[in-house]
Amino acid sequence: MYKLTKYENCVIRTTDNVCIPFDEANTDYQQFKKDIQNGVELMDSTGTVMTQEQITTFLSTLP
Amino acid sequence: MLTQVTSGMTDTNAQYYGFKSRIINGAMNISQGANGASVTPTVAGSYATNYAVDRFNTFATVASKYTIQQTPSATETGYATRVGAGFKNYLAVTSSSSYSVASGDYFLISQSIEGFNTADLVFGTSSAKTVTLSFWAYSSLTGTFGGSLCNSALNRSYPFSYSIPVANTWTQISITIAGDTSGTWVGATNGAGLIVFFNLGSGTSQSTTAGAWASGFYSAPTGAVSVVGTSGATFYLTGVQLEKGTQATSFDYRPYGTELSLCQRYYQLMQGINGSGENSTNVTMSLSYKTEMRATPTIGETSVAKISENGADKTQSSIAISTPSATTRGALINMGNFTGITQYRPYFWNDNSGSPWAITLSAEL
């Protein structure tokens, strides 16, 4: 599971609380994109689970 | 710097010079993350679950079938051969069960070599260079073992095989591989230029004939020994070297500090950082990395942070870290879950415990 932060450049992987930058060369970021496309839960910065539609919109903003 | 050349080798190829090996931490001396502890790999895991020594990743289609650890015993049966060859450390794999691999399974140890360090091999062109992979291997099992070389897209593979004829005996292996003249290979970039896999067990769909380049992903030669197939079986590895040329040459010993710096492009730990209070629960701290990293790193903490304010300690209730900004050279981090933080007051890293906390930075391939 992942959670967005108040900053727009990274996401928290909640299994180990690391902060993953939105850098295409970062392999954790590559895995994050695969995971949420495969249905792994993504929360916004307030902790609310995002809908598939919201995730699709969010994905379109990523590098 | 010239290195010792094996007697009888007369080639004047530059492969005999220092910094010839494309493998980093081939002697398994650096273990920044695990710090020598045993690691149980997961599927698509994190750095903490997949690295026992720096730069050697593990891939598994099923979790918890084996453990990995840096040098669990300095006096394993036959250790004198390893020590005599100059290797203090090794990467140990121990099978946790008797697992029958399914067709699509693979269990692997690997190192992805950055494109900047393989571009001169010009794989994927008619000028592709021959490379030689050498290493020391040891197992409680005997027979034909294997592995493969692959490109980053995992659609070009060269399965190789080698023999460990005597159990619990260190055996030196050398495999010469003609460079791939086909396929798409990452050039001088920070992507994976070449991936070296050591097989611990692969299914039939993941295996094919050894000794030739093939289209697709194959992690092992057909019929290779499955380490994960025998509970308690061991497989040890050290002295891994990949060099340009047709012969294995003496191991490329590099100063410890140099090897550590090479590793820190992919993973590093930071302590001694300072910052200031953002509000009653959060502090911000700046990081200037020890060396420029391969990519903007994933940032974490080894444990809850302990910081000092005029000698009074403040400890996080649980790990909480994010990055207002980060690049390959440095970052501004924000850590939360403190109490009693004063806005704008300076705060300093302070931990005299046996296992002081650190910031983890991972930009592995």
Side-chain angles (χ1 to χ4, degrees):
Chain A
M1 189 186 299
Y2 296 91
K3 183 183 177 187
L4 298 176
T5 74
K6 63 183 179 182
Y7 311 112
E8 296 180 346
N9 61 350
C10 60
V11 64
I12 303 297
R13 185 170 61 202
T14 59
T15 50
D16 55 359
N17 292 308
V18 296
C19 183
I20 299 171
F22 294 158
D23 177 350
E24 289 180 284
N26 182 297
T27 52
D28 291 320
Y29 175 64
Q30 294 164 10
Q31 186 64 44
F32 157 70
K33 286 204 293 189
K34 285 181 193 169
D35 285 347
I36 59 173
Q37 284 165 348
N38 290 329
V40 173
E41 235 170 47
L42 176 63
M43 293 182 284
D44 65 19
S45 61
T46 68
T48 304
V49 176
M50 296 171 69
T51 65
Q52 193 55 51
E53 188 177 356
Q54 289 171 321
I55 289 174
T56 301
T57 303
F58 171 70
L59 277 173
S60 69
T61 68
L62 292 178
Chain B
M1 179 178 70
L2 280 169
T3 56
Q4 183 180 0
V5 178
T6 304
S7 176
M9 290 183 177
T10 56
D11 197 338
T12 56
N13 191 305
Q15 66 178 312
Y16 301 132
Y17 291 84
F19 286 89
K20 60 196 173 185
S21 182
R22 313 309 168 96
I23 295 290
I24 295 173
N25 198 27
M28 314 294 180
N29 287 328
I30 316 289
S31 175
Q32 293 184 89
N35 195 25
S38 178
V39 172
T40 301
T42 60
V43 179
S46 64
Y47 190 94
T49 61
N50 282 20
Y51 286 82
V53 297
D54 281 50
R55 299 262 44 232
F56 283 88
N57 196 356
T58 184
F59 290 95
T61 48
V62 183
S64 305
K65 295 304 175 192
Y66 56 96
T67 59
I68 51 176
Q69 187 174 10
Q70 180 195 43
T71 320
S73 169
T75 55
E76 79 280 12
T77 302
Y79 74 96
T81 300
R82 169 179 57 81
V83 173
F87 297 106
K88 180 187 178 194
N89 287 302
Y90 58 94
L91 175 60
V93 176
T94 304
S95 174
S96 304
S97 64
S98 300
Y99 180 72
S100 296
V101 294
S103 173
D105 278 341
Y106 52 80
F107 301 89
L108 308 165
I109 296 291
S110 78
Q111 181 164 136
S112 294
I113 305 171
E114 191 172 346
F116 286 125
N117 300 332
T118 60
D120 65 309
L121 302 177
V122 289
F123 278 23
T125 76
S126 59
S127 301
K129 301 294 188 289
T130 295
V131 296
T132 297
L133 176 68
S134 57
F135 53 92
W136 287 82
Y138 175 111
S139 179
S140 60
L141 307 173
T142 60
T144 301
F145 291 69
S148 70
L149 263 57
C150 292
N151 64 352
S152 60
L154 299 180
N155 56 20
R156 296 292 297 171
S157 305
Y158 184 101
F160 60 80
S161 64
Y162 60 94
S163 174
I164 297 181
V166 182
N168 300 322
T169 302
W170 283 99
T171 304
Q172 189 173 23
I173 309 294
S174 171
I175 300 156
T176 296
I177 300 169
D180 188 12
T181 56
S182 300
T184 300
W185 293 79
V186 167
T189 75
N190 62 350
L194 177 64
I195 308 172
V196 181
F197 290 108
F198 294 92
N199 176 57
L200 307 172
S202 291
T204 53
S205 70
Q206 304 297 313
S207 309
T208 193
T209 308
W213 286 102
S215 295
F217 174 55
Y218 298 102
S219 53
T222 304
V225 168
S226 174
V227 177
V228 297
T230 302
S231 181
T234 56
F235 174 77
Y236 300 165
L237 186 66
T238 196
V240 183
Q241 176 155 293
L242 182 80
E243 58 195 302
K244 188 193 293 184
T246 57
Q247 294 178 325
T249 65
S250 59
F251 185 75
D252 189 6
Y253 288 99
R254 297 186 280 237
Y256 183 88
T258 301
E259 201 75 45
L260 177 60
S261 290
L262 295 175
C263 292
Q264 287 172 335
R265 179 169 171 78
Y266 307 91
Y267 184 87
Q268 55 181 276
L269 298 169
M270 299 208 73
Q271 295 173 324
I273 58 175
N274 307 310
S276 62
E278 181 191 58
N279 53 40
S280 63
T281 58
N282 288 52
V283 296
T284 55
M285 293 187 164
S286 62
L287 306 179
S288 181
Y289 310 151
K290 295 168 182 172
T291 187
E292 181 163 356
M293 302 198 74
R294 184 194 65 82
T296 306
T298 297
I299 301 182
E301 300 174 65
T302 56
S303 62
V304 290
K306 186 176 170 187
I307 58 176
S308 177
E309 168 200 301
N310 292 331
D313 290 338
K314 305 283 186 184
T315 304
Q316 283 178 305
S317 58
S318 60
I319 291 173
I321 189 168
S322 56
T323 55
S325 61
T327 69
T328 57
R329 300 185 178 94
L332 181 66
I333 61 171
N334 186 291
M335 293 189 292
N337 290 347
F338 291 99
T339 55
I341 298 292
T342 302
Q343 192 177 33
Y344 305 133
R345 182 169 290 177
Y347 289 90
F348 306 96
W349 179 92
N350 183 30
D351 192 344
N352 291 318
S353 65
S355 301
W357 71 277
I359 297 293
T360 63
L361 307 168
S362 175
E364 260 297 350
L365 275 162

